[in-house]
Every structure is written in structure tokens, then in C-alpha cells.
Amino acid sequence: MDKLDGFVDHIIYQNSDNGYTILVLDVGGMEVTCVGSLKGIGPGETIEAEGEYVDHPVYGKQFKILTYMTVAPKDSVSIERYLASGAVKGVGAALASRIVKAFGEDTLRVIEEEPERLSEIKGISRRKAEEIAISMEEKKDLREAMIFLQQYGISNTLAVKIYNKYGSDMYGVMRENPYRLAEDIPGVGFRIADEIASKIGIKTDSDYRIRCGIFYAMSGSYGEGHCYLPTDELVRRSAELLDISEEYISPQLSNLVMDKKLVIKGDKAFSSQMYYTELNCAALLHNINNSIGEMLILPSEDEMLKKKLTNLAEELEMELDGLQLDAALKAIKNGVSVISGGPGTGKTTTINLIIKYFESENMDLMLAAPTGRAAKRMTEATGVEAKTIHRMLELNAGLSDEDTRKVTFERNQENPLETDVIIIDEMSMVDVQLFLALLKAVMPGTRLILVGDVNQLPSVGPGQVLRDIMESKAFPTTVLNKVFRQSEGSDIVMNAHRINNGIQINPDNKSKDFFLLERNDVNVIYKHMVQLITEKLPGYVNATPFDIQVLTPMRKGNLGCETLNSILQEYLNPQDGMKKEYAQGEKLFRVGDKVMQIKNNYNLEWEILGRYNIPLDKGLGVFNGDMGIVREINENAQTLTVEFDEHKRVTYPFLGLEELELSYAVTIHKSQGSEYPAVVLPLLSGPRMLFNRNLLYTAITRAKKCVTILGSKKTLSEMIDNQSENKRYTDLLSRIREATGDR
């Protein structure tokens, strides 16, 4: 690494939240542009920095600072330059000159140890002297904190987060229990905390370490969709993570139960938070259902209700079957009801009938779905505005930038949604934590109608809410299974149902919307994929190349989305001297790129701009799976702007781009809730647990007009035969049965 010593001549740009800074450093009279995370650095400060020179495509040679420390100015000239820079509140150039003239090289010591002496100088009152001393002390505290943290190999970015969280208390946290970092600071996992702890000298069998390891193993399971772990599996995972014997784990489990951080029921271990999430979901569902109960309707009234629904269907020119009528009746007569069915089985028709009935009764409705795309589809299908669940619940705007994990909503038990009916679509995507937030906001007496396809992949987050509710049989449920005439001409729909039932299909390429192009060479698949997207499919499905979506089971490998995205970017949005680009690690973003948000960020601000860039609407929250287009890259401000659906614009700092990735190709899991004019599905080979029927069914049902499989017919056949799914450990089913008295 290279080293530089100098003073900060001026700041070009500084992000107050994450500390990312562009500055000019005066190194022996030579100006060097430097970039890095330098929280609290100011003009006039002297620093010793280590890093490397990099060539920026626009701004040329820069010094990238990896570590640095500020050092006290060593002579009168340096001290005056530092004070005159504005780094110390209330001191300008003229006053700095008078102070240094009075105290010389002893100036900094006087300010720190005898600040009252500053009042000897004309223009400085005793109060102003105290303010100058306090400002210097704050700078000193931050400087010393950064130096302290750097000795443990902590990056500047993380050091800023630690200092912002704990202030002067950080010394005690670091020396006594650095594992608190994993609990308190977003972005710090167990492994980072463990590395810091080992440098500090904390023993591998310390109670703090074992407890933190247990929680890390438990929270890691949430990413696999689990709500609990079998106790022996939690012990095994924790011991492997901590690299210690299992005998050290069990006593800590008991201690965590006594501390009410874990709940153990039989052979199941839950975090307390997740246990009570499932418990409260079950209780609230039961209460919502009981708040209406099944309406006592006489047989004659029941017939009148059926007749009214039939007449409404005729008025709307709906083709209605008995199951759809039954679903509508259950939705009207019960507090909670469920409607499930595959593509083409009339879920949308049923929802429209239910909406028309409640509207005819002058009842208020709210429609929502888990993602923006799913909500948009719901709006288009019903003619009634649908929102994302987050937006309907009014995501709390008061969240701290430092902790996006504590999500709250304005709508809750104290401030419920004021409506008569709530219809939620794409329920298979709703995880147990979001479902609890929804249930808390449902007022007693409101009808809750849950709609989805239980055979789709389960939610990205923990739980399998729709499946557990249906399996409980505690709430009126209708499974639509008739494929209607308007869909019978679609091989997408028919093949999806065959696949779901484990029936082999034989794509002979005589279909109008379902094709298999047998290709066994990866490079040939690349070539034909590009041809399909750029030449063949746009005209066939009346869409742009950007509307056509490549779906793949995997992230890694020759046909994983990471490799496919780099190839497709080259052809769909090639390099152009007029298009700005920004590289971050192995990622390259270019204006015009198709991108996806890959994690929930409840603090990201979006706005919708009207004419003359006047904001028409704004809000918070961009969510896992949201897709958009890169509209602007601003090198000076170090930002990248993406336009998402509904013209929502979000500006990301360069340091926040780990939340974005290219989305010309996405995993099938990420495509949930979306619908595309055409889907291209490359399939050759992969892990058996991943290449299963459930995944294939989900991929095919994402396509509206055309599915093209590029690859192996044998792999397609094996996926249809492979019914294995990754088991999810969830206990909502048991909690519902307890709540309803059905054990």
C-alpha cells in the first residue's frame, strides 16, 4: 500500500450519513484528489493515510484511502491553517491568526486544557472560549475513536457506524462484549463481531460468544424460510459455526430461555420474537374471523344471495362456475376466507365478482399485494386501485438510517385500517412478519379475503403463511381447479397444470405460446437467448426486449443470473461513449441498465416527478424484487438514480449500490408476483433440491404470452418428476389449531 501525509486543502463532496468523502490533500505543496470513507474529516486537518492509486474513467488518477488517522498539527503554521479552515466552530481566519499569535505552538494544548485563557484575546468572550473548547473536544473524541477502532482492523465505514451508535460508550462495548455489534448495528454479522472479539482476546468458549453464535445460527435460518429450528439442529449449527463442542451449547440454550430470548416447545427452538409472531398471527386471525362469524342466513336468504351474485356475474359477462360462486359466498359470510387456484382458474373473475357485490352494498374495500408489480397487475385486472401491503399500512417515516431492521407502520391496532373489506392477492409471497403487521391493522368486523396460488414458491422471508392457513382448515377455503375456456387455447396454462400434477409434457413446438429449443452447448444457448430477446420475441409478443425476462434457477454457474446478466448487458445495453457508467467491484452499472433491488430498504426515499421536475408524490421504501431502469449516474455527487415502476425515482449513494444488481436475468425466486409478456428459461442441469417441480411451475406461470425453454428436454422431464422441496420449519399451523381449539 502507498502512504500519504498532508493536510486537507478542501472538501469536494461529503456524505453526512456514511462519511463517503472526496477531498483534495496538500502533500508538500502537491494537490492529490483522495476518496474514501472519512467521517468527520474537515478542511485544514492533517492526516496520515494508506491506500492505493486508482484511475477513474472521468476524473483520472485518484488516491483511494483505505485507512487513515488524523494527527495534531505540529507547528504554528499548521495550527493556524487548521483553525482557519472552519474545522473548529466559531473560529475564522482572522481569529485563528490572533489565537496562534498569542499562544504559538502551545495553542492546541491551551484550547484543550486551559480554554479560559482564550478570553484574553480581543473578540473572545468566556462563553465563546468554552464553545471553541467543546468543538475541539468533539473533534478529538471522533479522532481518537477512529484510531482506537482501526487498531482492530475495523474499516472506516464500520467505525463510523460504531461511533454513531455508541459514542463514548463504544470503548466499554468493544472491550467487554463486541458481539453486541451484531445485534445493534445493521451490516455487522456474527463473523465480523467474532473477528473483532478474537483480536481483542475474548475466549472462544465465552458465554457472550456462544450466545451470539446461537442467535446468528437462528437468524441465518430465517433466510431459508424457517420460523424455528429443531433443537438438535440448532445445537449442531451453532457448534459448527463456533467451532466448539456441542456440550458447550446446551447450557446456553437454557440460559437464553430463562432470559426470555428463546422459546423451546418440545423439540422445537424459536427466537422469542418469531414464536410470538406466529402465536399472534394465529390469535388475530381467529379474532378477525370471530368478529363477524358466519352470518346466520336463512335458506331463502341464501338463495337470494346466490341469485344476486349470479345476476351480477351476468351483468359483468362473467363465466361463473359453482366453485367461484362458493368462494364469493364464503367471502361475504365470513370474517376470514381463502381463495386459491392455479393460472386460468378464475381467481381474478372471482375477485371482481366479490368487489362488485360489496360495492353494490355500499361497502368500502381495500386491495393490496406484496409487491409493486403484483399490485399494479391487481389494479389492471379489477379497475380498483391496489397498493403494496407496505404502502397500505403506511410504512413509518420516522425510521433511523442506522437501523432498517426495526420496521413499524402507522396503521396498527391503535390506528387500524378503516374499511369493510380487505382483499390481499399473491398471498404465497407474504411472509409471517409482514402478515402479522397486516393483521394488527385489521379492525374487528372487517372481512379479510386472502387470494393466492399455494403451489407457487413460498415467500422469500420466513414462513409459509398461505399453506399453513389452508392446511389448518380453520377458515373457509375454496380451491379453484377448473381451467376456463378462455385459457384452454394457452399451452402455458395447460402445461403449468400438468406440471403441477406431475404429468409429463411433450413440447413439440407446434404450440403458439410454449416452446422447447433443445440446446446442450452453453455458448449456443447464449447465442440463441440473445437472438430471441433482440429479434424473435419482441414482435411476436408485442413487447420491447427489456420487457422479456430471462429466468434461471441459479445465481452462480454458466447459466446463473450473474453470468447471464454480464452477457445480456453487453447486447441489450452496450457500452456507448454517451452513456455514463460506474463500476463497483465486479458490478458495472450503465445508464439504461435494467436493475433490481435485492433487499428491503425501508428508509430509501422515492419521488415521482412531474413536469419541470416538480415532485408530485414521495414516500419511503424500496423492496426486494422491485425492478427499474438506471436513469442517471452523477460522478460529482457519487450517486446513481433508478426509475422504478409507477415512475418512482430513487437516488442511491455509490456506497449503497450493494442493494442493486442487474436484472436482465433473475432467479425464479425473485420473479414471484411478477408477470412478463415472454419468459426465456435456460435449463441444462443443477442441484436436485433446486431443480424441482415447484420451481418449474413458478417460472412457467410468470409468462403471459410465451414461454421458451432453452436447454435439455431430459432436465425438463426430471424437474417435473422431482417433487422434492426444501422443507420449511414453521409452526403457524399448530398455533392456529391452538387458537381455534382444534388440536
Side-chain angles (χ1 to χ4, degrees):
M1 278 197 299
D2 296 310
K3 293 184 179 181
L4 289 181
D5 298 345
F7 71 88
V8 179
D9 185 79
H10 62 278
I11 304 287
I12 298 173
Y13 170 81
Q14 189 166 62
N15 185 305
S16 59
D17 293 329
N18 56 37
Y20 182 83
T21 305
I22 307 172
L23 58 81
V24 173
L25 194 68
D26 187 310
V27 183
M30 179 180 70
E31 292 189 346
V32 180
T33 301
C34 301
V35 298
S37 181
L38 298 91
K39 175 78 171 181
I41 204 78
E45 295 197 61
T46 301
I47 66 171
E48 296 174 355
E50 292 187 351
E52 58 189 9
Y53 284 98
V54 295
D55 284 315
H56 191 280
V58 177
Y59 298 102
K61 194 173 185 180
Q62 297 179 337
F63 188 75
K64 184 177 181 180
I65 295 176
L66 301 176
T67 63
Y68 78 99
M69 65 173 62
T70 56
V71 295
K74 297 180 175 65
D75 53 56
S76 297
V77 174
S78 299
I79 293 170
E80 182 176 340
R81 185 171 57 215
Y82 172 63
L83 295 176
S85 70
V88 178
K89 187 178 177 181
V91 179
L95 189 54
S97 177
R98 295 204 301 274
I99 293 172
V100 174
K101 187 174 181 180
F103 301 112
E105 294 183 4
D106 202 29
T107 297
L108 296 183
R109 187 199 64 77
V110 169
I111 294 174
E112 290 177 6
E113 298 176 10
E114 302 176 87
E116 68 279 0
R117 289 184 59 192
L118 292 174
S119 59
E120 299 170 9
I121 297 169
K122 186 179 178 181
I124 299 181
S125 64
R126 194 169 186 88
R127 181 175 178 181
K128 186 168 183 119
E130 290 175 359
E131 289 175 354
I132 292 171
I134 290 170
S135 180
M136 278 286 289
E137 187 66 28
E138 288 173 350
K139 287 279 183 181
K140 180 184 176 185
D141 287 347
L142 176 58
R143 182 165 61 242
E144 290 178 348
M146 299 294 278
I147 293 170
F148 174 80
L149 293 170
Q150 285 168 5
Q151 69 180 309
Y152 298 114
I154 295 172
S155 69
N156 294 329
T157 303
L158 180 54
V160 167
K161 289 183 178 181
I162 294 171
Y163 183 76
N164 286 347
K165 176 67 180 178
Y166 301 117
S168 60
D169 292 338
M170 68 166 214
Y171 297 101
V173 171
M174 293 296 294
R175 291 189 179 108
E176 295 168 17
N177 181 16
Y179 293 100
R180 275 185 61 188
L181 302 180
E183 297 178 25
D184 296 341
I185 299 177
V188 179
F190 170 79
R191 296 190 186 283
I192 293 176
D194 200 36
E195 189 176 327
I196 294 168
S198 68
K199 291 176 180 175
I200 289 173
I202 290 179
K203 294 180 179 179
T204 57
D205 61 352
S206 85
D207 290 352
Y208 287 138
R209 181 172 186 264
I210 295 173
R211 290 185 182 203
C212 188
I214 291 169
F215 265 97
Y216 185 75
M218 180 69 83
S219 61
S221 73
Y222 301 158
E224 301 167 41
H226 302 311
C227 293
Y228 74 87
L229 285 175
T231 306
D232 57 355
E233 184 167 342
L234 177 59
V235 169
R236 178 183 58 77
R237 289 190 184 200
S238 302
E240 286 179 2
L241 172 71
L242 295 163
D243 195 23
I244 60 176
S245 171
E246 291 184 6
E247 67 187 55
Y248 290 102
I249 306 297
S250 295
Q252 293 303 329
L253 291 181
S254 300
N255 290 335
L256 288 167
V257 168
M258 288 199 315
D259 290 344
K260 297 185 178 179
K261 293 186 176 181
L262 281 185
V263 172
I264 295 181
K265 286 183 74 75
D267 61 353
K268 301 172 183 177
F270 304 77
S271 70
S272 294
Q273 182 262 336
M274 193 59 73
Y275 175 78
Y276 287 106
T277 295
E278 288 193 317
L279 183 70
N280 290 332
C281 278
L284 288 169
L285 269 173
H286 181 58
N287 292 342
I288 293 165
N289 197 43
N290 277 1
S291 68
I292 290 180
E294 183 162 351
M295 292 169 55
L296 295 174
I297 297 178
L298 296 172
S300 59
E301 294 173 324
D302 203 27
E303 286 303 315
M304 288 175 62
L305 185 55
K306 288 180 183 178
K307 188 173 181 180
K308 179 169 184 176
L309 288 169
T310 303
N311 290 339
L312 278 173
E314 289 174 359
E315 288 174 21
L316 298 166
E317 298 181 349
M318 293 176 177
E319 185 176 353
L320 202 64
D321 76 344
L323 281 174
Q324 290 174 301
L325 182 61
D326 183 57
L329 284 168
K330 287 174 179 174
I332 293 165
K333 294 162 64 176
N334 293 278
V336 176
S337 60
V338 180
I339 302 170
S340 183
T345 56
K347 292 194 301 293
T348 300
T349 301
T350 308
I351 292 172
N352 279 326
L353 178 62
I354 292 168
I355 289 170
K356 295 305 176 188
Y357 171 81
F358 284 122
E359 285 180 341
S360 73
E361 296 291 312
N362 296 316
M363 297 173 77
D364 294 328
L365 295 99
M366 285 186 174
L367 277 59
T371 66
R373 290 199 159 208
K376 184 178 179 182
R377 286 174 54 201
M378 197 179 187
T379 300
E380 292 167 350
T382 63
V384 179
E385 182 191 10
K387 299 179 179 179
T388 63
I389 298 173
H390 287 88
R391 196 169 185 197
M392 180 178 73
L393 297 179
E394 298 174 19
L395 186 68
N396 193 314
L399 293 171
S400 162
D401 287 339
E402 290 302 315
D403 197 347
T404 60
R405 297 173 294 185
K406 296 177 181 177
V407 182
T408 58
F409 297 93
E410 295 291 344
R411 295 293 184 173
N412 48 43
Q413 285 164 308
E414 287 72 39
N415 182 30
L417 296 165
E418 297 175 8
T419 188
D420 299 305
V421 182
I422 297 172
I423 304 176
I424 306 295
D425 199 9
E426 295 288 357
M427 264 301 299
S428 63
M429 296 179 64
V430 177
D431 64 48
V432 69
Q433 292 161 317
L434 180 58
F435 191 54
L436 177 59
L438 169 68
L439 294 177
K440 285 180 176 179
V442 178
M443 191 161 40
T446 302
R447 288 169 176 80
L448 179 63
I449 303 164
L450 308 176
V451 184
D453 183 351
V454 75
N455 294 307
Q456 296 282 353
L457 291 170
S459 57
V460 174
Q464 47 186 16
V465 173
L466 182 61
R467 184 179 296 277
D468 285 347
I469 290 173
M470 290 177 66
E471 288 186 4
S472 76
K473 298 181 180 176
F475 308 99
T477 299
T478 306
V479 178
L480 305 176
N481 53 28
K482 178 182 176 182
V483 180
F484 285 84
R485 281 197 297 272
Q486 63 262 34
S487 298
E488 286 176 358
S490 168
D491 286 322
I492 295 174
V493 171
M494 300 310 295
N495 285 336
H497 284 280
R498 291 187 185 106
I499 289 166
N500 191 44
N501 292 319
I503 300 169
Q504 288 293 331
I505 61 175
N506 183 31
D508 54 12
N509 292 343
K510 293 178 182 177
S511 169
K512 293 180 180 178
D513 63 3
F514 197 101
F515 306 97
L516 170 65
L517 306 181
E518 184 115 23
R519 304 288 186 269
N520 294 301
D521 184 295
V522 169
N523 291 313
V524 173
I525 289 176
Y526 295 157
K527 176 185 173 183
H528 289 174
M529 184 184 303
V530 171
Q531 285 179 340
L532 283 167
I533 296 170
T534 58
E535 301 171 20
K536 307 291 185 183
L537 288 174
Y540 190 68
V541 298
N542 190 28
T544 70
F546 271 46
D547 294 325
I548 295 161
Q549 189 62 52
V550 176
L551 300 181
T552 173
M554 305 170 293
R555 289 192 57 82
K556 305 289 186 181
N558 290 332
L559 293 180
C561 61
E562 292 180 1
T563 301
L564 293 177
N565 271 319
S566 62
I567 293 168
L568 292 169
Q569 182 188 43
E570 183 180 341
Y571 287 94
L572 297 179
N573 189 31
Q575 189 174 29
D576 178 338
M578 301 298 291
K579 293 177 184 174
K580 289 187 177 180
E581 23 181 85
Y582 175 74
Q584 185 184 70
E586 296 181 2
K587 293 181 183 178
L588 174 67
F589 295 104
R590 185 176 293 138
V591 170
D593 271 337
K594 184 177 175 181
V595 293
M596 174 184 279
Q597 175 81 9
I598 59 171
K599 61 178 283 190
N600 288 340
N601 187 324
Y602 303 99
N603 291 323
L604 270 178
E605 295 184 4
W606 55 261
E607 62 179 2
I608 298 173
L609 301 178
R611 212 172 163 189
Y612 308 116
N613 288 331
I614 297 173
L616 301 177
D617 195 8
K618 61 182 179 179
L620 287 178
V622 183
F623 305 105
N624 191 355
D626 286 354
M627 294 174 72
I629 303 291
V630 177
R631 295 300 187 198
E632 181 184 359
I633 294 175
N634 188 325
E635 294 281 358
N636 287 327
Q638 298 280 292
T639 59
L640 180 149
T641 301
V642 177
E643 183 176 329
F644 290 98
D645 287 341
E646 300 176 339
H647 307 292
K648 293 179 179 177
R649 287 188 170 235
V650 176
T651 298
Y652 294 79
F654 281 173
L655 288 179
L657 292 182
E658 71 278 357
E659 297 184 6
L660 277 183
E661 63 182 29
L662 296 176
S663 62
Y664 300 101
V666 301
T667 62
I668 296 166
H669 279 87
K670 291 286 188 184
S671 73
Q672 286 176 269
S674 296
E675 186 177 69
Y676 313 100
V679 163
V680 178
L681 184 61
L683 291 176
L684 270 185
S685 62
R688 177 174 169 77
M689 285 303 293
L690 189 60
F691 276 56
N692 58 39
R693 182 188 303 171
N694 190 217
L695 196 80
L696 180 62
Y697 173 79
T698 300
I700 287 169
T701 54
R702 299 306 90 210
K704 191 173 183 180
K705 297 180 180 178
C706 184
V707 169
T708 305
I709 298 173
L710 276 172
S712 165
K713 188 174 182 178
K714 181 185 176 189
T715 299
L716 174 65
S717 176
E718 289 173 348
M719 289 183 77
I720 294 170
D721 285 339
N722 181 13
Q723 201 174 356
S724 67
E725 296 177 38
N726 290 325
K727 176 177 172 56
R728 289 197 166 198
Y729 295 119
T730 71
D731 219 29
L732 180 60
L733 174 60
S734 299
R735 302 287 84 79
I736 290 173
R737 287 176 173 167
E738 289 172 1
T740 57
D742 181 9
R743 297 175 188 240

